[in-house]
Amino acid sequence: MKTVRVRFAPSPTGRLHIGGARTALFNWAYARRLGGKFILRIEDTDLERSKLEHERAILEGLSLLGLDWDEGPDVGGPFAPYRQTERLERHRAYAAKLLDTGAAYACFCSSERLEALREGQSARKEKPAYDRKCASLTAEEVAARRGAGEKPVVRFRVPEGTTRFIDHVRDEVAFENKEVDDWIMVRADGMPIYNFVVVCDDIDMGITHVFRGEEHLVNTPKQVLLYEALGATAPEFGHLPLMLGTDGKKLSKRTGDTALQDYLERGYPKAAIVNFLCLQGWALNGTTEIFSIEELVANFDIKDVTKAGAIFDIDKFQWMSGEYIRKYSVDELADLCTPYIVRAGLASEAQLAERRSWYLEVVRGEQERIRTFAELPARIAFLFAEDGAVPYEAEALKNARKQAAGLATLADYRTWLAEALAQGKSTAELRDATKAWVTARGIKMPVLFQPLRCSLTGQPGGPDLFDLIRLLGGDHALARIDAGLQRLSAPDGSPT
RNA sequence: GGCCCCAUCGUCUAGCCCGGCCUAGGACACCAGGUUUUCAUCCUGGCGACAGGGGUUCGAAUCCCCUUGGGGUCACCA
């Protein structure tokens, strides 16, 4: 059994697409499961759009997800280089060989002619295809036109017949060759094109399995034909179902974030991203939703991948993210959230470090309420607000005002609390004593707690109020109650 | 439009390859209760699908065909 060699071959023309991340993940898992090699290759033959910064970002994204590669542009390997533009010599040699055997031919048709050709075809409702005008040029003609300075493209001469290949996701797929156009392998400027280089490099790098997105399914016959023309054995394929937007179409910016980076910035834990990606087209056993990347590796098989496209369900993703958030220790979660708090401008990293134990309490209080790291700042912003100007959310205000006796109760409680605080009551004592105080007055808990919560936090929900009083500090809590007494009686609850 | 791929709850899926154990299981979302000082967490319950039609078979979500629907792709992009 030959060693499995799979690759992920992104083009550095933008940020890492979330679908690309899943493709990488499945390739990686397949290699790791079978003890094979996972190779990273950069497809940068599109000189216009390829950028080194994109390449760096992509590598970084993969690393963050915990995917490591055995060979690649940064780590090298036995088949270096791993950037396609650095392999031009090899590609040229293959092209020359194909030209030599007649499997490919030079084509001098201009872009303009091709465009006109296509226009005419589609106007006549014919399928757009090259008319093979240059397919029968003699060697002499080609040489003459080259000599005259004309720059031809190189086209693949598609033979007759039917092309079949193994697809591990959907069994065998077949295409009639007559449906395949005489596609361009090399541009007029000498730069080879994707469908051509990918085959050259996969051959040179000994790639045994090609798992990629379903949008490449129609490219496959072109490539398989090329393997045959080159006398090479085609690898086995596996076309992964597309990740769809809520409109049911290929995930695009129209319907949601498409870049891995977007989700990282939105504060989804990496492990949650990996876990969720697994579920788009694959299932561990149908009942286990939460599992680790190690479990993926131990159980992954390309044959178990679903055939149908999967709509990216952000609701489920957020739920899963929350599950991961709750699994962290408070300490870890605090560290993970820190950048988001800093970015929101609530506090600097140094300030949070200074008040580490306070910060940990804050995080502990919100851990079961947030689903992403990025949700924390908005939830705790009230802690950093001016006592007299805590923003009141409409819902909080409504809840507070629903209590007819709320204001009077809060006023009385304010006096009682000041006294209790002065006595140095602990949080637990304060909590118990307050409940006793409420009970003694013969009123329901919310009568006090709603206006109190609104005054203190301005939010309709949140952690235990006595934990909050400790976090705020007694003086601040009292100041906020004083402000609340005023603001709750004002028509719009605005700070005075 | 041609070609190709696909088709189980609203969504992600298990089951399908090797028909019976499926009165189709799980999860998210949603709804209703419970717990709670609120929100959240947590717990309980509910809603909810084999696209349609033909076959094959004692028996089909599972096999075959057709229809319908959806998607992908038709570049000197990848």
Side-chain angles (χ1 to χ4, degrees):
Chain A
M1 186 77 181
K2 238 167 61 174
T3 305
V4 164
R5 289 177 61 80
V6 297
R7 45 62 165 186
F8 178 58
S11 72
T13 54
R15 301 190 297 169
L16 179 58
H17 192 279
I18 194 78
R22 188 197 55 172
T23 301
L25 176 63
F26 284 0
N27 271 286
W28 175 85
Y30 189 78
R32 292 293 171 263
R33 165 85 200 283
L34 268 26
K37 299 290 184 193
F38 177 59
I39 293 117
L40 190 58
R41 187 178 67 220
I42 303 299
E43 314 233 328
D44 56 351
T45 52
D46 183 343
L47 267 21
E48 305 274 312
R49 299 190 296 153
S50 294
K51 295 275 185 306
L52 197 59
E53 61 186 274
H54 290 141
E55 177 185 317
R56 272 197 298 269
I58 289 169
L59 300 216
E60 188 187 304
L62 294 174
S63 296
L64 283 173
L65 294 185
L67 309 187
D68 57 332
W69 45 96
D70 304 296
E71 301 168 27
D74 56 337
V75 295
F79 302 96
Y82 291 89
R83 247 179 234 109
Q84 291 190 315
T85 49
E86 294 169 8
R87 306 177 62 80
L88 274 180
E89 293 312 309
R90 294 290 302 158
H91 306 145
R92 297 224 161 100
Y94 277 115
K97 181 178 169 191
L98 258 12
L99 241 16
D100 211 44
T101 61
Y105 59 90
C107 169
F108 295 91
C109 294
S110 67
S111 308
E112 293 72 34
R113 181 179 117 76
L114 262 18
E115 205 172 311
L117 184 65
R118 275 193 293 268
E119 268 175 34
Q121 286 164 334
S122 59
R124 276 172 272 126
K125 292 191 173 173
E126 294 169 10
K127 58 178 177 187
Y130 181 56
D131 61 1
R132 294 196 147 179
K133 181 166 186 282
C134 297
S136 48
L137 255 29
T138 63
E140 290 71 31
E141 287 173 311
V142 171
R145 295 179 71 165
R146 278 201 142 112
E150 281 194 67
K151 300 274 188 228
V153 300
V154 178
R155 282 185 187 273
F156 185 75
R157 193 189 305 272
V158 176
E160 295 188 341
T162 304
T163 301
R164 300 169 196 286
F165 54 89
I166 303 287
D167 187 303
H168 285 300
V169 175
R170 28 200 115 233
D171 297 328
E172 190 186 79
V173 180
F175 285 83
E176 292 302 322
N177 290 6
K178 65 177 190 302
E179 301 295 340
V180 183
D181 203 11
D182 272 5
W183 52 283
I184 293 172
M185 294 170 19
V186 185
R187 297 174 173 91
D189 67 2
M191 277 304 286
I193 283 206
Y194 167 76
N195 276 312
F196 174 54
V197 267
V198 75
V199 170
C200 299
D201 293 341
D202 282 345
I203 291 173
D204 284 347
M205 295 181 179
I207 301 303
T208 58
H209 303 259
V210 172
F211 304 140
R212 65 218 318 187
E214 194 187 335
E215 70 266 28
H216 287 287
L217 192 56
V218 293
N219 283 325
T220 311
K222 295 178 182 176
Q223 298 176 7
V224 170
L225 252 12
L226 190 49
Y227 279 100
E228 288 170 4
L230 254 12
T233 306
E236 290 168 21
F237 297 88
H239 289 92
L240 276 17
L242 258 19
M243 282 175 62
L244 277 17
T246 45
D247 57 355
K249 298 186 196 308
K250 197 160 74 160
L251 196 60
S252 74
K253 289 161 197 92
R254 287 181 57 82
T255 49
D257 290 325
T258 54
L260 171 67
Q261 272 299 329
D262 291 328
Y263 293 97
L264 255 11
E265 278 163 21
R266 287 180 188 281
Y268 290 89
K270 287 171 253 173
I273 296 176
V274 168
N275 194 159
F276 186 70
L277 250 23
C278 289
L279 258 24
Q280 298 282 293
W282 188 77
L284 183 58
N285 53 29
T287 56
T288 310
E289 309 286 334
I290 307 285
F291 53 85
S292 67
I293 198 167
E294 288 77 19
E295 286 172 278
L296 168 72
V297 170
N299 294 282
F300 184 78
D301 191 340
I302 190 69
K303 290 184 174 63
D304 297 329
V305 172
T306 306
K307 296 181 182 61
I311 293 173
F312 192 92
D313 183 1
I314 198 75
D315 281 336
K316 185 159 183 174
F317 189 21
Q318 288 186 336
W319 161 77
M320 179 166 282
S321 181
E323 292 290 307
Y324 275 87
I325 293 267
R326 270 165 248 130
K327 288 206 289 188
Y328 287 117
S329 69
V330 175
D331 220 60
E332 287 173 312
L333 184 57
D335 288 339
L336 260 4
C337 287
T338 298
Y340 297 86
I341 292 171
V342 172
R343 199 185 311 160
L346 294 180
S348 70
E349 199 172 335
Q351 288 169 322
L352 292 177
E354 228 169 85
R355 298 206 282 167
R356 180 71 180 181
S357 61
W358 177 85
Y359 179 41
L360 291 180
E361 282 302 302
V362 171
V363 172
R364 189 197 309 284
E366 296 292 343
Q367 181 162 25
E368 65 195 25
R369 261 166 282 268
I370 60 175
R371 294 173 303 179
T372 62
F373 304 135
E375 284 178 0
L376 186 61
R379 292 206 56 89
I380 64 170
F382 73 88
L383 287 168
F384 299 86
E386 290 290 326
D387 289 332
V390 176
Y392 288 180
E393 282 182 27
E395 184 76 11
L397 204 49
K398 202 183 82 187
N399 291 346
R401 286 187 162 151
K402 214 158 48 186
Q403 310 302 334
L407 222 43
T409 307
L410 185 60
D412 287 354
Y413 182 69
R414 194 264 181 230
T415 310
W416 181 90
L417 180 63
E419 177 62 22
L421 251 14
Q423 290 168 8
K425 277 189 164 44
S426 73
T427 299
E429 289 168 338
L430 211 49
R431 186 182 296 119
D432 292 343
T434 298
K435 285 180 181 172
W437 184 87
V438 170
T439 308
R441 298 190 127 223
I443 54 175
K444 299 272 188 199
M445 296 289 181
V447 176
L448 168 65
F449 285 113
Q450 291 289 8
L452 180 57
R453 178 171 294 281
C454 183
S455 305
L456 258 24
T457 73
Q459 295 186 345
D464 174 82
L465 281 173
F466 302 95
D467 287 338
L468 250 21
I469 289 174
R470 183 179 61 229
L471 252 22
L472 245 18
D475 291 344
H476 288 290
L478 291 172
R480 287 181 181 212
I481 292 172
D482 289 336
L485 255 10
Q486 298 255 322
R487 295 171 62 188
L488 288 171
S489 51
D492 60 352
S494 61
T496 44

